[in-house]
Amino acid sequence: SVPMRKPRPADATKTDAKISNPQLSGATSFGALAGYLFGKNSASTAMKMTTPVLTRGDGEDQTMSFVMPSDYWEEGSESLAPQPLEGSGVRLERDNGGYRAAIMFGGYASKSEVSRRKMQLLENLEKDEEFVIVNGSPICLAQYNDPFTPPWKRRNEVFVPVVPRN
């Protein structure tokens, strides 16, 4: 069986990798999101950096997201959040929660390790009798540590939204 969890609904800031320099897509997306949190927004309000950093999709379809501080998690509170600056590539979205199948792993989240863990997650879900992947949902990589955390203390996971089989 695959570990399941049901996170609370939360608001997220999000950017598309396609707005970025192709050689620096992850770094540029991260910079746009961090800029929003650190005050490059409509209210010039600095907010706390949160974890995890979420990456979904591949190549041109890849997006990166940060979870907003918990002040903005309650239903309707997303309208209280500072708005992203026009042209920043950042947008606000609400994640309504739901069940997730997840596999946690330590160390660096290299492309090969993430690919291996995604395959492991899919193989386990194929055999799972209780849950099935929400149709069309990409697998998400969640990274919980800053770049200076040593590999043996790192926490990552791959997850995908699931629903009970009927």
Side-chain angles (χ1 to χ4, degrees), residues 14-148:
K14 187 174 188 177
T15 186
D16 293 326
K18 51 187 162 230
I19 65 155
S20 310
N21 178 324
Q23 289 80 28
L24 301 172
S25 62
T28 304
S29 294
F30 186 92
L33 292 168
Y36 168 81
L37 283 181
F38 296 150
K40 291 183 180 179
N41 54 58
S42 64
S44 298
T45 300
M47 296 171 270
K48 292 181 179 175
M49 178 70 83
T50 61
T51 62
V53 173
L54 305 170
T55 309
R56 288 181 178 85
D58 294 302
E60 287 292 311
D61 296 324
Q62 189 175 64
T63 61
M64 181 179 283
S65 306
F66 286 2
V67 177
M68 293 286 288
S70 59
D71 301 350
Y72 305 106
W73 288 7
E74 297 304 319
E75 187 73 37
S77 65
E78 61 271 14
S79 63
L80 303 175
Q83 294 303 300
L85 296 177
E86 193 165 323
S88 68
V90 174
R91 65 184 182 276
L92 300 179
E93 274 185 10
R94 181 146 183 89
D95 179 329
N96 291 317
Y99 287 100
R100 310 282 198 266
I103 292 182
M104 191 174 7
F105 62 99
Y108 289 113
S110 67
K111 283 186 181 185
S112 61
E113 183 64 16
V114 170
S115 179
R116 188 171 80 79
R117 297 301 180 154
K118 285 180 178 181
M119 290 303 298
Q120 180 184 5
L121 179 63
L122 292 174
E123 288 169 6
N124 288 347
L125 279 169
E126 281 179 18
K127 298 178 230 169
D128 194 272
E129 295 177 12
E130 200 174 343
F131 289 93
V132 63
I133 295 173
V134 173
N135 195 20
S137 294
I139 295 176
C140 183
L141 168 65
Q143 295 174 282
Y144 290 88
N145 304 100
D146 65 54
F148 308 108

Side-chain angles (χ1 to χ4, degrees), residues 2-10 73 95-102 131 144 155 157 159-164:
V2 180
M4 300 290 163
R5 59 186 174 80
K6 188 172 182 182
R8 288 181 49 185
W73 288 7
D95 179 329
N96 291 317
Y99 287 100
R100 310 282 198 266
F131 289 93
Y144 290 88
R155 178 177 165 219
E157 62 186 15
F159 69 83
V160 67
V162 293
V163 291

